[in-house]
Amino acid sequence: LATGPRQNNGIFYEIRTYDIKPAKMKEFLEMINKYIHFRTAHSELVGFWYSELGAMNKVLHIWKYDNFAHRTAVRHALANDKDWQGKFISAALPLVEKQHNEVAYLVPWCQLGKPSKEGGVYEWVTFQMKPGGPALWGEAFRAAINAHINTGYTKLIGVFHTEYGLLNTVHVLWWNESPDQRAAGRHSAHEDARVVAAVRDSVRFLETQQNVLLIPLQCSPLK
C-alpha cells in the first residue's frame, strides 16, 4: 500500500471541507449550484455534498488533479478568473466559518466507483489509524473493507489515504439507496461472522472513527 501504484502516477484528490454559518447554508448551496460551472471549467470535480447526519452545516467536495503542477496551474487560473472571483468567491466567503483541505491518494486496490443509480445517500467514514502507516495496518484494513463489500448491502465508491493533512487517516466513501437500507445492511453485517472477524482484526490499529451521512448537491457528478 505504501509503495504501490499511487506512488507511480501523479493523480491525487484534494478533499475540501467547509463549515458554513448555520443561517447561511441554504444560501451557500444555492450559490454553489448556480456558479460551480466557473470552477469546473478549470479542473475535475468528483463530488459535492452537504452533511445530513454526523456533522452539521458542513459541505465536502473532492477535486481530482493529475499532479501537483496541475493543481498549481489551476489555482493560479482561478485567482485570475474574474467570473469565479467576482460572482462566487466575494459573495461566498462571508458565509464560511472555516475551511480545511487534505491531499489524498486512492489506495492501489481501489478504483473510483459510481453509484448503482442516481439518488440515494453517501456515507463518509473517516478512520484515524495508529502511526506506522499502511505497512502496519494496510492489509487488515483492506480485509475489513472487503468484508463489508462482500455482504452486498453497500457500494464502495472510494478509499482515500491522506498525504497532506492529518497522516494515517483513511476516508472511505460508500453509497446506499437510502439511510434505512444502510441501517438494515449494517445490522445484518454485524451478525456476519466474516465481517466480525475482519473488523476485530482491523480495529487493533484504529484510534478513532467518524461517520457522516452526505447528500449530493444537484451539481455533483456523483449523485
Side-chain angles (χ1 to χ4, degrees), residues 22-69:
K24 299 296 184 179
M25 176 63 87
K26 183 176 184 293
E27 182 180 351
F28 184 85
L29 296 181
E30 289 174 349
M31 290 180 61
I32 287 291
N33 281 316
K34 184 176 181 180
Y35 294 120
I36 194 66
H37 64 281
F38 294 128
R39 176 61 184 84
T40 54
H42 294 280
S43 66
E44 181 181 345
L45 173 65
V46 174
F48 207 122
W49 303 266
Y50 65 89
S51 61
E52 178 72 11
L53 296 172
M56 297 186 69
N57 302 305
K58 288 184 182 290
V59 296
L60 184 147
H61 39 126
I62 303 174
W63 300 87
K64 181 180 178 180
Y65 292 102
D66 297 334
N67 48 48
F68 288 98

Side-chain angles (χ1 to χ4, degrees), residues 90-102:
S90 61
L93 282 182
L95 312 183
V96 179
E97 289 192 327
K98 186 169 60 176
Q99 295 175 298
H100 176 71
N101 78 327
E102 299 169 283

Side-chain angles (χ1 to χ4, degrees), residues 33 47-50 119-122 175 214-223:
N33 281 316
F48 207 122
W49 303 266
Y50 65 89
V121 296
Y122 291 78
W175 177 88
L214 299 174
I215 307 298
L217 272 66
Q218 180 183 348
C219 65
S220 178
L222 285 175
K223 289 187 174 65

Side-chain angles (χ1 to χ4, degrees), residues 107 109-113 116 123 127 140-159 172-176 181 185-186 188-190 192 194-196 198-199:
V107 297
W109 42 269
C110 172
Q111 299 294 318
L112 193 63
S116 304
E123 184 177 10
F127 299 91
F141 187 86
R142 179 180 182 179
I145 294 297
N146 284 335
H148 283 86
I149 293 172
N150 291 337
T151 63
Y153 81 87
T154 186
K155 181 173 179 58
L156 179 66
I157 302 299
V159 180
V172 183
L173 183 61
W174 302 95
W175 177 88
N176 289 280
Q181 186 258 350
R186 289 281 290 178
S188 297
H190 291 163
D192 189 314
R194 299 166 300 172
V195 175
V196 172
V199 170

